Amino acid sequence: LFIWKEDFIGFLDVKSISYLIRYIFEIIFKNAALAQSSYILTFMLIGYYGMNQVLKQFNISKLIRYIGSLFFIINPVMAAEYSNGAAGIFIIYSLIPWIFILLKSSLENYNLKKGLLYSLLIAICFLNLQTMFWILIPLLIFNFILLILKNKLKIVNFIKILFHTFLGLIINTA
């Protein structure tokens, strides 16, 4: 089943916190096509800026960051997903850089605010176990290895992040 299908390409109808966000856009714009376009554009900007911040952490020049961020958010796979009505995947994809940033910074220096924000992103992104295995587990493993190599891993922080991961999944299923 799709919502917004009558005026535009549609979304998979999955009941989660991301459904609430779509509903808010629908209330604000009162037009299905405009609401969906604004929703996608908002997340494109969020994804672009997030990837720019990720690349900035790796000391990459401004020009390459801008080009890399643009190619990250506008690529053939995401265009195909969007045109086939799987805009939810597009939203998850646009939030991956922010999950990466929060994971990396929380594993280095944990604080409750970052942990709760991370839980919220997990709740928005992971509509099913499949997306969790594709995205979340590789991100956790990558950050774990990255911090081991840098000698900055704090096991207590890793355990706290695992707690916030499960908290986000619980919020999502509520």
Side-chain angles (χ1 to χ4, degrees):
L1 295 173
F2 292 94
I3 56 175
W4 294 345
K5 187 68 173 172
E6 64 279 359
D7 294 331
F8 210 51
I9 58 175
F11 278 109
L12 289 175
D13 186 12
V14 178
K15 303 292 188 237
S16 69
I17 198 167
S18 62
Y19 181 79
L20 176 64
I21 295 169
R22 290 193 300 262
Y23 183 68
I24 291 168
F25 272 83
E26 203 172 302
I27 290 171
I28 291 170
F29 292 101
K30 300 194 185 336
N31 174 305
L34 185 58
Q36 185 178 9
S37 297
S38 301
Y39 183 75
I40 294 298
L41 182 60
T42 299
F43 280 96
M44 282 180 74
L45 293 172
I46 289 169
Y48 176 87
Y49 185 69
M51 181 50 70
N52 195 306
Q53 294 304 307
V54 167
L55 295 174
K56 191 176 190 178
Q57 290 183 1
F58 291 101
N59 299 321
I60 295 176
S61 72
K62 280 186 181 181
L63 178 63
I64 301 301
R65 282 196 329 250
Y66 296 142
I67 293 170
S69 299
L70 187 63
F71 282 139
F72 170 77
I73 205 64
I74 301 173
N75 65 63
V77 173
M78 284 300 105
E81 291 293 337
Y82 176 72
S83 66
N84 290 325
I89 301 289
F90 187 79
I91 304 316
I92 293 167
Y93 186 76
S94 68
L95 292 175
I96 290 172
W98 294 104
I99 293 172
F100 176 84
I101 289 167
L102 284 170
L103 264 173
K104 186 174 180 291
S105 65
S106 293
L107 286 171
E108 290 174 354
N109 296 312
Y110 172 83
N111 72 38
L112 185 60
K113 183 180 172 183
K114 284 188 231 177
L116 292 175
L117 184 58
Y118 170 76
S119 294
L120 180 63
L121 286 179
I122 295 298
I124 291 170
C125 283
F126 298 104
L127 306 176
N128 56 40
L129 284 175
Q130 196 174 25
T131 55
M132 185 179 86
F133 286 112
W134 289 346
I135 299 166
L136 182 60
I137 292 174
L139 280 174
L140 281 167
I141 292 170
F142 176 77
N143 277 294
F144 188 76
I145 292 170
L146 184 68
L147 293 172
I148 285 175
L149 293 174
K150 288 181 160 184
N151 250 353
K152 291 186 176 180
L153 181 66
K154 298 176 184 169
I155 296 298
V156 174
N157 292 350
F158 189 74
I159 292 169
K160 289 177 184 177
I161 286 301
L162 286 178
F163 168 78
H164 283 288
T165 300
F166 290 118
L167 179 63
L169 294 173
I170 290 168
I171 292 168
N172 188 350
T173 58

